[in-house]
Amino acid sequence: MKQLRVLLVGFISTLLVPGLFGQEKEVGTLEKIKEARAIAIGTRESSIPFSYYDEKNEVVGFAQDLANLVVAAVKKKLNMPDLRVKLVPVTSQTRIPLIQNGAIDLEAGSTTNNLEREQQVGFSDTFFIVSTRLLVKKGSGINDFSDLKGKNVVVTAGTTSERLIHALNDQKQMQMQIIAAKDHGESFLILQSGRAAAFMLDDALLAGERAKARNPSDWLIVGTPQSKEAYGMMLRKGDTEFKALVDEAIAEAERDGTAQKLYQKWFMSPIPPKGLNLNLPLSDDMKQLFQNPNDKPLQ
Amino acid sequence: MWTFAFAHHLSLFISCFSPLPELAAFDFSVFLRASPEGSINNLIYLLYGLAWTMLLAVASWLVAFSVGSVVGVLRTAPGRILPAIGACFVELFRNVPLLVQLFIWFFVIPDLTPGVGDWFKQQLPPVWQEFTSGTICLGLFTAARIAEQVRSGIGALGRGQMAAGLALGLKRTQVYRLVLLPVAYRILIPTLTSEFLNLIKNTAVASTIGYVELAQRSASMADTTARIYEAFTAATLLYAIVNVLVMVGARALEKFTALPGYVGGRR
């Protein structure tokens, strides 16, 4: 018993020790980049078509292309043309701590800018607006959320869709069985295996998942959008100098048509690894965003 | 002894936080906010996750313990065929990665068994699908490990016990049931305890197929609240508390069942 108590106390105090290392002095991101002669970008493994690995195992995507524009702006600003770019793979659980502890300077993937996250990290200007909809099998007879009564629905754990579908289920008493899978790939697998009638997620990501299917034309994106979300790049909270630079790079691309061209490249043309076309036309929200770049969260 | 350790750690603890920067950054009110499921708060959400974790752990343990014991006995049986069957079982389930096994049980097996598989996929509520696959997977994986321990536990008793039992006129199965296993299990309590502790933690792999256990729920909470440290600290503490309780229970069991003269008996 005595040993146990010692163990317990020791354990709890180890948990708290990270406080010792957490008191680093705040250094601006640009200074940090200059000193390290390198910028660390957080990338995703399979956020198609925002940030993912292609067949050559290189990180590509819409967000990655925009991040490259930011890197170019940093090089110009610091006058360091041979600045090293470190690509650090992150997950939805690691991305916020890695920004906070300085392991990455900028995260460019598919991260929603919302009020909860804004308390922890900073967000750049929005580079994409998605709406949450459904992916269903062709001929399943499901055209909208009201058709889901009594059905199994899969969502990816921790997404806004998870919260929205639970709320819908409670409010309208739809008796849906909600499955929360670990990541988007897993959710789609559950949909494909016939365990769920629909998969709810951001439409752009649904299009990306559909592109991975053996036969993409078997799957349809349907339903009234339940919410809109603004994707931004994450950076350290309160670093106004770096944020201004990132914002300017994104806003310029959105105003001068570069972003529009990138949109054509990633959403309206064949993309790696399989050469599929996501076929997701530019939405009105995106058109408005490109005319009027901003960093407002939509929820 | 422990008071000293406690005082030492307390001072260490306070010195960590003297200006309280990190502790202040911890926001415990996040546990009272609405969880991803809406109707309950995050603390209750995590506690339900813990309940699902324990349910899966206990169910898998029942499978693991019974199957593991049988296979362990097979491995010590006379002849060639029975030990070979036991060895095949152990090598198969011990050498294939746990995650791969889980995917096979959840995604592949139901597709290979048309009648039952379709019922399983379409009629059974999702959470029970995940629970069943998880129980079979973790149960058999752990059974392979327990089998090896049972085999060595029986081996530790020496051949004389079997011979003596047979000489008394007991059947071989009776010798196992009445003589060998009761003593072997007592010797094995410490290693079986760590096997059970491992099993509790291994239930986290079931999160990959959407089972709503503690690890999955803390990750989900971390994602929706953006409070990563709080969510994972809570999960860590809950796992630790459960594991310490199991340790205490196992120690009590060991004391209660100890035989004089054997390992675990009065020294």
Side-chain angles (χ1 to χ4, degrees), chain B residues 13-83:
Chain B
F13 166 69
I14 292 169
S15 66
C16 289
F17 293 117
S18 39
L20 289 171
E22 286 289 305
L23 192 63
F26 262 71
D27 177 11
F28 294 101
S29 72
V30 70
F31 291 107
L32 300 177
R33 269 182 250 150
S35 72
E37 279 189 5
S39 50
I40 50 175
N41 69 32
N42 279 313
L43 183 63
I44 306 289
Y45 180 71
L46 288 185
L47 289 176
Y48 274 133
L50 182 66
W52 285 111
T53 292
M54 289 316 292
L55 188 68
L56 179 58
V58 170
S60 316
W61 181 254
L62 294 178
V63 174
F65 188 71
S66 33
V67 176
S69 298
V70 172
V71 176
V73 167
L74 284 184
R75 294 211 69 181
T76 63
R80 281 207 176 150
I81 298 164
L82 293 181

Side-chain angles (χ1 to χ4, degrees), chain A residues 4-5 11 13 15-16 22-23 92-93 96-97 100 116-117 120 158 162-163 166 179-180 186 193-195, chain B residues 2 9 13 16-17 22 36-37 103 106 121-122 126 129-130 208 210 216 220 223 226-228 237 240 248:
Chain A
L4 258 179
R5 278 200 198 111
F11 175 78
S13 39
L15 255 183
L16 298 166
Q23 301 173 22
S92 55
Q93 270 101 52
I96 290 177
Q100 287 174 330
E116 281 100 357
R117 287 181 185 148
Q120 307 269 319
E162 189 186 12
R163 262 186 294 181
H166 275 287
I179 310 171
E186 212 90 6
S193 75
R195 283 186 166 87
Chain B
W2 77 270
H9 278 102
F13 166 69
C16 289
F17 293 117
E22 286 289 305
E37 279 189 5
F103 278 27
F106 188 70
K121 284 195 297 186
Q122 260 114 46
Q129 291 177 29
E130 295 143 15
T208 55
Q216 197 252 26
S220 198
D223 249 9
R227 289 280 172 182
I228 285 125
L237 281 175
V248 172

Side-chain angles (χ1 to χ4, degrees), chain B residues 92-169:
Chain B
L92 178 66
F93 286 99
R94 195 171 56 170
N95 292 341
V96 178
L98 188 53
L99 195 60
V100 176
Q101 290 190 33
L102 185 63
F103 278 27
I104 290 173
W105 286 113
F106 188 70
F107 287 114
V108 182
I109 305 276
D111 280 355
L112 294 180
T113 50
V116 188
D118 288 340
W119 171 83
F120 181 80
K121 284 195 297 186
Q122 260 114 46
Q123 303 298 318
L124 203 62
V127 68
W128 295 114
Q129 291 177 29
E130 295 143 15
F131 176 80
T132 314
S133 302
T135 305
I136 298 174
C137 168
L138 287 165
L140 295 183
F141 175 78
T142 313
R145 302 172 53 92
I146 288 181
E148 283 302 274
Q149 289 162 17
V150 169
R151 176 174 79 122
S152 60
I154 292 172
L157 298 177
R159 285 160 175 267
Q161 300 238 353
M162 173 60 90
L166 291 175
L168 281 172

Side-chain angles (χ1 to χ4, degrees), chain A residues 163-223:
Chain A
R163 262 186 294 181
L164 290 171
I165 197 87
H166 275 287
L168 192 71
N169 209 11
D170 292 348
Q171 280 162 19
K172 301 208 172 152
Q173 306 195 334
M174 291 176 68
Q175 272 113 30
M176 290 182 276
Q177 301 264 9
I178 296 156
I179 310 171
K182 199 184 180 198
D183 57 41
H184 307 327
E186 212 90 6
S187 300
F188 189 40
L189 214 53
I190 285 172
L191 179 71
Q192 282 176 308
S193 75
R195 283 186 166 87
F199 171 16
M200 180 175 174
L201 190 68
D202 306 348
D203 52 4
L205 294 174
L206 285 180
E209 285 305 318
R210 179 174 62 180
K212 287 193 234 161
R214 213 172 299 153
N215 208 343
S217 57
D218 283 351
W219 305 94
L220 299 174
I221 296 172
V222 299

